[in-house]
Amino acid sequence: MLDLPSVEMRRDALQARRLRLSKSLSEGDLAAAILIVPAGTPIPIEGTDQYHSFHAHNDHAWLSGSRRAGSVLVFDAQDTDSWALFVPEATREDRVWHGGGDDLERIAELTGIDTVLPVAGLEAYLVARRDRPVALIGHREFLERPGA
């Protein structure tokens, strides 16, 4: 039988990873930066209505514990505890084909990230911080297709 870590142990490990990174980012050149770590989006198979198997960007999964396509982890370096996870809300079609998924409170419980919001709020979050430098880890497609 596979012995998986408890939710608490996993959440504690994720929080420790984010804390280590946030402390290092809060010092030096990135002390005022906004760090963006997108999971990425599924890649369509040309000529079909299907997609290749999705795998979240490693840094996103390692820091957030989430492997949800389209989710974005954001850190505000001016506040070492200011991590936010923006996740896509399941559409009716998603619910039919893939199940309902977790609600925002459950995602917060599993990841240890207090601020879990619908991805639709990401633009307003970034606009409110538009005068700050931005560091992007992961998929450059985020810059090219931010609404994808």
Side-chain angles (χ1 to χ4, degrees):
M1 174 180 233
L2 184 60
D3 188 23
L4 296 174
S6 69
V7 170
E8 292 79 20
M9 287 176 59
R10 185 172 178 271
R11 184 178 52 231
D12 290 347
L14 292 168
Q15 288 173 322
R17 291 173 188 169
R18 289 190 296 268
L19 182 61
R20 261 194 328 263
L21 180 60
S22 64
K23 283 182 178 179
S24 66
L25 289 174
S26 296
E27 303 166 357
D29 294 343
L30 295 176
I34 302 297
L35 175 67
I36 301 172
V37 189
T41 55
I43 299 169
I45 299 172
E46 198 167 323
T48 72
D49 63 349
Q50 299 178 359
Y51 292 85
H52 292 280
S53 295
F54 175 76
H55 302 280
H57 189 276
N58 290 339
D59 292 327
H60 178 86
W62 190 78
L63 287 167
S64 72
S66 171
R67 299 183 184 281
R68 288 172 178 75
S71 61
V72 180
L73 181 65
V74 181
F75 172 68
D76 183 343
Q78 289 187 341
D79 179 358
T80 56
D81 292 329
S82 185
W83 289 93
L85 181 62
F86 293 87
V87 296
E89 293 184 287
T91 64
R92 182 181 171 132
E93 185 176 283
D94 291 335
R95 293 178 206 279
V96 169
W97 291 103
H98 307 290
D102 295 321
D103 61 18
L104 300 179
E105 293 80 21
R106 178 70 176 147
I107 295 169
E109 178 186 342
L110 292 171
T111 62
I113 299 171
D114 294 330
T115 306
V116 179
L117 302 166
V119 77
L122 178 60
E123 182 177 358
Y125 179 93
L126 294 175
V127 165
R129 294 157 177 81
R130 68 178 161 252
D131 59 333
R132 310 257 301 283
V134 173
L136 175 68
I137 296 177
H139 295 281
R140 292 198 51 80
E141 73 181 19
F142 181 80
L143 296 175
E144 298 154 9
R145 301 182 310 153

